[in-house]
Amino acid sequence: MKALSVVPLQAGSAALTDMEEPPVGDGPILVETLAVGICGTDIEILSGAYGWSPPGRERLVLGHESLGRVLDAPGDGPIAPGDLVVGIVRRPDPVPCTSCAVLEWDFCRNGQYTERGIKEHDGYLSERYRITPDFVVKVDPQLGTLGVLLEPTSVVAKAWEEVDRIGGRAHWEPRTVLVTGAGPIGLLAALLGVQRNLEVHVLDRMGEGVKPDLVRALGATYHSGRIGDLGFSPDVVIECTGVSSVILDAMTNIGVGGVMCLTGVSSGGHQINFDEGALNRSMVLENVAVVGSVNANRRHYEAAALALAAADREWLSRLITRRVPLAQWTDALTRSDDDVKVIIEVQPEKAVTT
Ligand SMILES: [Zn+2]
């Protein structure tokens, strides 16, 4: 079967090659991959900046945002042939740490977790893969190819769970949310905010285009200026840019008792002159909470599956701005300002339309 793989940390090593069928030892469920979403992590791996191959192997199969159709599954389980499914990315560490021991691998404490398509475990960008039932999540069949958005949605489902739980430390009646960044993560975070009946605001650099249109189509408000000029102090901030100046701006403008969740990964190395004392003072006097959030466990995938099933499918389909056949995979790596989510269709002839 065909698979797209790289030699991690070696730029230009990506290649679409033939490889053996997935080993039975990978699990009793055989899945035919339909589509794989491409995100910043994949671009980093492809550029040779990130990634680890499985032990004893040179190459790593790419792909962690997957959608597939079950070809074969044990007769007595919850998953049946024909089901549309998404594979979970992270696997608990073998020790396991106290978090992985209770299946909260997204909180792994020793860093020895593995991740399909990223860290020591082949990804989903092959024509077929095998998996065990505990790492596969069913998608509403009505979603069709849109199910490929489940993995990025699981990341924001976790961020929202953190906001809800931290907000619940005291009386909590949030009204406004600011999402910084209108990429796929930001737009999906905004969707979950609208589903919570909050007044959602999204801020990005673009003046016009697909992203502002998608924000407005959600019934949310789009902003492209500075956070200090919004004219209100958000109860919740979901930060999806990783840009230091945006993060500091949001931290200093959040409302009293507000919760801010950081999901964007900064590159580091940029130093900004700012008044840490004033920030500390306002955080203490206003009970502000700032929390970082990464990855997702099974609970978050299941919450994400419900959120996508409840979403407007026409709106979700506009998030997928380009569909590239596997044979033309290099086209998926170049992106324009108007690209939101680019996906690779592994079986373009079997594309599931909604
Ligand atoms: Zn762990």
Side-chain angles (χ1 to χ4, degrees):
M1 64 172 181
K2 292 261 186 286
L4 182 62
S5 66
V6 295
V7 179
L9 308 183
Q10 198 173 303
S13 63
L16 185 61
T17 54
D18 284 306
M19 65 180 282
E20 299 287 309
E21 287 294 319
V24 174
D26 279 1
I29 299 177
L30 177 66
V31 181
E32 167 184 62
T33 308
L34 297 173
V36 170
I38 298 298
C39 78
T41 302
D42 298 303
I43 305 288
E44 262 191 274
I45 295 172
L46 284 157
S47 75
Y50 200 66
W52 296 258
S53 53
R57 293 243 320 271
E58 191 188 26
R59 302 189 74 88
L60 167 78
V61 175
L62 209 65
H64 59 276
E65 298 183 3
S66 71
L67 174 75
R69 189 192 304 282
V70 175
L71 293 175
D72 190 22
D76 52 349
I79 304 286
D83 284 347
L84 282 185
V85 292
V86 168
I88 290 175
V89 176
R90 197 176 279 194
R91 298 290 181 273
D93 78 75
V95 175
C97 74
T98 50
S99 294
C100 287
V102 296
L103 307 182
E104 289 189 340
W105 49 73
D106 53 320
F107 270 82
C108 181
R109 298 170 66 86
N110 64 24
Q112 293 179 47
Y113 60 82
T114 58
E115 287 177 332
R116 287 195 78 146
I118 302 171
K119 187 169 182 277
E120 299 168 10
H121 200 143
D122 276 338
Y124 298 112
L125 242 175
S126 51
E127 289 182 287
R128 283 167 290 284
Y129 67 85
R130 282 188 170 274
I131 195 162
T132 53
D134 33 340
F135 290 104
V136 75
V137 179
K138 253 201 270 194
V139 175
D140 183 340
Q142 302 271 345
L143 284 167
T145 307
L146 302 174
V148 77
L149 297 169
L150 185 64
E151 195 277 338
T153 308
S154 74
V155 170
V156 300
K158 173 178 170 181
W160 271 109
E161 183 191 87
E162 296 214 45
V163 168
D164 294 341
R165 289 183 174 194
I166 294 167
R169 67 197 157 149
H171 176 73
W172 177 236
E173 221 174 299
R175 194 176 64 82
T176 53
V177 52
L178 171 67
V179 175
T180 47
I185 295 289
L187 288 165
L188 290 166
L191 168 69
L192 268 65
V194 168
Q195 289 183 340
R196 279 168 167 72
N197 292 316
L198 296 172
E199 180 189 313
V200 178
H201 299 258
V202 179
L203 181 131
D204 203 325
R205 293 167 298 143
M206 239 73 73
E208 285 307 319
V210 174
K211 292 172 182 176
D213 289 349
L214 280 163
V215 169
R216 292 182 196 116
L218 206 52
T221 309
Y222 184 82
H223 305 266
S224 58
R226 288 180 58 88
I227 295 171
D229 300 332
L230 287 177
F232 71 98
S233 297
D235 300 314
V236 175
V237 176
I238 309 278
E239 206 298 306
C240 309
T241 69
V243 176
S244 330
S245 56
V246 174
I247 295 167
L248 283 172
D249 247 10
M251 271 187 193
T252 47
N253 283 287
I254 194 165
V256 174
V259 180
M260 173 165 172
C261 185
L262 305 171
T263 70
V265 181
S266 308
S267 50
H270 301 280
Q271 298 206 357
I272 301 184
N273 217 343
F274 85 107
D275 189 341
E276 299 100 330
L279 176 63
N280 175 72
R281 182 186 163 83
S282 67
M283 284 183 69
V284 170
L285 296 180
E286 296 176 2
N287 292 297
V288 167
V290 178
V291 61
S293 180
V294 70
N295 196 255
N297 65 44
R298 188 175 182 97
R299 181 171 82 237
H300 308 120
Y301 278 78
E302 286 169 354
L306 293 174
L308 286 185
D312 176 53
R313 289 199 288 279
E314 198 268 322
W315 185 83
L316 289 176
S317 71
R318 290 170 65 194
L319 290 187
I320 300 176
T321 43
R322 266 189 312 131
R323 298 163 180 246
V324 177
L326 180 59
Q328 274 110 58
W329 62 272
T330 50
D331 294 346
L333 311 184
T334 51
R335 39 181 62 194
S336 73
D337 274 352
D338 262 352
D339 269 329
V340 181
K341 175 57 69 185
V342 177
I343 66 168
I344 293 180
E345 289 190 319
V346 179
Q347 320 264 1
E349 73 283 359
K350 291 183 185 167
V352 197
T353 47
T354 51

